[in-house]
Amino acid sequence: MSETLVHVASGKVRELFTIDDDRLLLVASDRISTFDVVLPTAIPDKGRVLTGLSAFWFARTQRARANHLVGLRPDGRSMECRRLEMLPLECVVRGYLAGSGWKDYLREGAVCGYSLPDGLRESDQLPEPIFTPATKAHVGHDENIDAERAAALVGVERYREVERASLDLYRFASEHAAERGILIADTKFEFGLDAAGQLVLGDEAFTPDSSRFWPADEYEPGRPQPSFDKQYVRDYCESLGWDKSPPGPDLPGDVVEGTRARYVEAFERLTGTSFEDYLANPEVVLR
Ligand code: PZK
């Protein structure tokens, strides 16, 4: 009855293992990255919060779009997934102007070929959410690309399908989150194809690592927004004058505790489930 897991890939803060020919195990660690550097100090339970949030969203969107979730392990940080043929595209939806979208807008008045109205401020809500695909960079940053280049990577029909699926998912989750005081400024999906060639949502979904979560009560366009989850970490790192090259600094206990509390708060607000109940039985988020 014991199980042999073969390690297949490492992300910055997650690990991927093979269970068998059809299934993978996606394990979220407690590691945290900031300014693109993984810090030496872990945030206890961060991986469980992110796995629980992904599972919550997968369960709530499965009728609209199939996803790779097969089940949660009792540890709360490991998700059994269907093995897919992943598409070579980062599927980003932006509802607000931040990050590389803001930079591209300042430089060219457009993001991924969408020209936007003049006079937008940093963090402004866009007239409507836009699909802004990017290439998967193996080193360094993903590169934003226009629809034509993205369609060349996956085929024009598949491109239209991932665009529609991404926008539908974003509208659903951003409305749910906004009602609970969290703005999802933007988010990234990865899709794959199942054995029958059907488009399936993979990776993680609407976690604070794949999305920008902003506290709605502090929202004020015209400046960068505080991060719902990582702001204490960023502020602490900025206070040190760290040059943002590795290795990153150790975090003091109060920053660790404050950050853990923000992750748990995001989980509880979005899922409506106490984190304690999740730890006792992770499957509560699937109901
Ligand atoms: C897959 N990644 C990225 C994520 C890592 C690497 N369902 C799937 N089927 C096949 N492949 C993947 C998935 C998913 N999800 C995802 N690479 C392959 C990745 C997390 C940790 F190390």
Side-chain angles (χ1 to χ4, degrees):
M1 195 41 240
S2 73
E3 175 186 52
T4 309
L5 297 174
V6 177
H7 186 253
V8 285
S10 291
K12 274 204 297 229
V13 302
R14 296 180 301 163
E15 306 292 334
L16 195 59
F17 300 86
T18 293
I19 301 172
D20 59 28
D21 287 351
D22 305 323
R23 290 175 304 160
L24 300 172
L25 194 70
L26 190 49
V27 183
S29 74
D30 292 340
R31 296 193 293 276
I32 188 170
S33 70
T34 190
F35 305 113
D36 283 329
V37 175
V38 177
L39 300 181
T41 311
I43 306 298
D45 292 325
K46 171 178 178 275
R48 292 187 175 89
V49 164
L50 268 63
T51 296
L53 271 175
S54 265
F56 168 81
W57 293 114
F58 283 143
R60 266 138 197 90
T61 59
Q62 64 172 343
R63 278 184 296 256
R65 175 56 51 185
N67 61 67
H68 70 167
L69 170 65
V70 174
L72 289 171
R73 292 280 169 99
D75 67 8
R77 69 169 70 252
S78 310
M79 185 183 288
E80 282 190 28
C81 304
R82 275 196 283 164
R83 190 192 285 275
L84 305 172
E85 196 68 57
M86 300 306 287
L87 298 179
L89 205 59
E90 304 283 0
C91 293
V92 177
V93 178
R94 299 170 189 277
Y96 294 78
L97 206 41
S100 67
W102 169 240
K103 290 201 182 88
D104 293 351
Y105 174 75
L106 278 184
R107 223 181 308 109
E108 47 197 309
V111 184
C112 294
Y114 295 93
S115 43
L116 293 171
D118 287 340
L120 291 177
R121 298 159 297 175
E122 184 171 17
S123 311
D124 259 333
Q125 187 168 26
L126 296 171
E128 60 184 342
I130 56 174
F131 180 65
T132 59
T135 59
K136 292 185 186 183
H138 293 285
V139 286
H141 274 124
D142 299 339
E143 182 194 358
N144 290 342
I145 55 177
D146 63 18
E148 194 178 358
R149 284 184 63 198
L153 286 172
V154 297
V156 69
E157 266 188 73
R158 199 63 87 176
Y159 177 79
R160 291 202 186 103
E161 196 182 10
V162 296
E163 175 181 49
R164 169 59 41 214
S166 297
L167 288 167
D168 287 349
L169 288 161
Y170 176 79
R171 281 186 198 284
F172 173 81
S174 60
E175 282 171 22
H176 174 100
E179 288 166 8
R180 288 155 183 82
I182 293 176
L183 302 181
I184 302 180
D186 49 42
T187 196
K188 185 199 83 179
F189 306 109
E190 294 192 31
F191 290 93
L193 305 182
D194 68 12
Q198 291 298 303
L199 186 71
V200 177
L201 178 61
D203 202 56
E204 59 185 328
F206 301 111
T207 69
D209 279 5
S210 66
S211 318
R212 279 191 180 84
F213 283 9
W214 293 340
D217 61 355
E218 293 174 57
Y219 176 62
E220 190 185 293
R223 56 158 172 85
Q225 302 306 295
S227 160
F228 193 93
D229 46 299
K230 288 183 178 169
Q231 200 57 43
Y232 298 142
V233 173
R234 292 194 188 146
D235 290 348
Y236 176 73
C237 289
E238 297 282 13
S239 78
L240 297 175
W242 168 48
D243 68 2
K244 295 166 192 173
S245 68
D250 290 303
L251 301 176
D254 61 325
V255 173
V256 171
E257 271 321 300
T259 301
R260 180 186 179 281
R262 294 293 279 177
Y263 279 107
V264 170
E265 185 182 346
F267 176 93
E268 293 186 336
R269 281 208 212 174
L270 292 170
T271 66
T273 297
S274 82
F275 188 59
E276 192 178 86
D277 288 355
Y278 176 73
L279 294 180
N281 177 196
E283 292 180 347
V284 291
V285 295
L286 305 179
R287 301 201 262 261

